[in-house]
Structure formats: C-alpha cells, structure tokens
Amino acid sequence: MPDLFSWIAPIYDRIFSPAGPEILSWLDVRVGEVVLDVGGGTGRVAEALKGKARVIVVDPSLGMVARAKRKGLMVCVARAESLPFPSEFADGVIVVDAFHHFHNHLLAAQEIMRVLKKGGWLFLEEPDIANLAVKLIALGEKLLLMRSRFHDFATLASFFLSRGGRLLRSERRAGFLRLLIGRS
C-alpha cells in the first residue's frame, strides 16, 4: 500500500493542532529524559516537549518524519512493531492517535514495553470506538484501505497490562481514551 501519510504530511499540521494542555497535563517529563513519540508523525506532540526532554519521533512515514525533522526534532524511521532501540532505553513513551494504525498491536505493545525503562511511563491516547463519530471515522479509514483497528478500553489496556504495565490513570473524554501506564 502506498504511504498515505506521506501524501497528507504537507497538510497534517493544518488539520491537527499541536499538543495542548489537556495532553501535556498527563506528562511528568523531567529535563534530560528520553521520550519516544511512537507513531509521532510530524511531531505535533513531541514539539511541545522539545525544550525539556530528548524527544525522538518514531514513524514509518518518510513524509511525516521529514516534517518533524524540519521542526528541529530528532527522528527515527521505524515501525512500532520493531523499535530499533535497546531494552530499557526510554524514560517515557507517547502514542497519540496512532495505535489503531499499527499493523500488529500485540507486537507493538511488546516493543513499547521492552524499550521503556523500569519505572518509566507510557501515555496512550486513542479514539474511543464507543463514540459514534469515531465509528464513522473508523468506517472512513476502512474505505480508504488504511487497515486501522480501534479497540475498547479493556482491550487497549490489556495489551500493556499483560506485558508488565500497571494502570496509573485513565480517562474517557471527548471521544478519546487516555491511559497512563507505568512499567514495573
């Protein structure tokens, strides 16, 4: 399948706003920490953390990472299912509105937990498939042959909790599920 995300990369930041206070309030990022923004696209979330942490945008789309690089962000072209980092590399991992695009959710969760340091955190935000608007978006993405797969809260959490994570905080709001998961 062609890289649809490279095609939309030039307009992506005009459609989606940068990370706002609602996301940033979930992140306890300390100066100098290493944070991976997996599926981070153009770096719209990573950019908000750039002055504080060493943020690396990880995305398979060349067009998206090119945009992130133009913003002065460190980038890595890779899939979530095969992260090219050593075990216990990152203090934090962010996955915002991207998990449903990953090809193999079990493998992606395993890789994310592998690269996360003990005591580290994962912030995950995903569209809530129980929301009617999200159901319509899911149908649209299916029609575009995007192979997106959305999950309910219990399934989404189980991918990480079964791999050594513990739920620290969660929220269902405005069509999104938010989870903060710690690594034991």
Side-chain angles (χ1 to χ4, degrees):
M1 177 177 174
D3 181 4
L4 177 64
F5 287 98
S6 279
W7 182 76
I8 66 169
I11 62 169
Y12 190 84
D13 287 333
R14 284 184 246 156
I15 298 169
F16 296 99
S17 59
E22 70 282 351
I23 289 177
L24 299 177
S25 70
W26 284 69
L27 309 178
D28 183 22
V29 179
R30 294 181 179 96
V31 175
E33 285 186 328
V34 174
V35 177
L36 300 179
D37 186 356
V38 179
T42 64
R44 68 185 185 95
V45 177
E47 190 173 25
L49 303 174
K50 184 168 68 171
K52 198 170 195 181
R54 291 182 33 222
V55 186
I56 303 169
V57 175
V58 181
D59 201 284
S61 170
L62 293 174
M64 290 292 214
V65 297
R67 294 273 173 187
K69 194 170 188 176
R70 283 188 209 128
K71 294 175 183 177
L73 296 165
M74 290 185 284
V75 299
C76 175
V77 178
R79 294 193 172 280
E81 298 87 350
S82 182
L83 296 171
F85 303 101
S87 296
E88 298 191 38
F89 174 77
D91 298 288
V93 175
I94 302 166
V95 182
V96 174
D97 199 11
F99 194 78
H100 59 278
H101 293 299
F102 300 163
H103 292 269
N104 183 323
H105 293 149
L106 291 171
L107 188 54
Q110 179 178 311
E111 277 293 280
I112 288 167
M113 296 306 285
R114 179 188 66 78
V115 300
L116 194 57
K117 290 179 181 177
K118 288 181 178 143
W121 52 267
L122 161 67
F123 173 74
L124 181 68
E125 180 181 84
E126 270 292 289
D128 183 358
I129 195 59
N131 181 289
L132 178 60
V134 174
K135 287 179 183 182
L136 294 173
I137 290 168
L139 176 62
E141 289 190 6
K142 185 172 228 135
L143 292 172
L144 289 172
L145 305 175
M146 293 177 75
R147 298 185 294 181
S148 303
R149 288 170 298 143
F150 297 84
H151 299 284
D152 61 25
F153 175 84
T155 304
L156 193 57
S158 74
F159 288 127
F160 300 95
L161 302 182
S162 66
R163 283 161 182 76
R166 67 186 188 291
L167 188 60
L168 302 174
R169 183 178 167 197
S170 65
E171 175 181 76
R172 170 180 269 138
R173 188 168 146 215
F176 284 94
L177 301 172
R178 292 184 178 138
L179 295 83
L180 186 63
I181 295 169
R183 179 167 184 255
S184 304

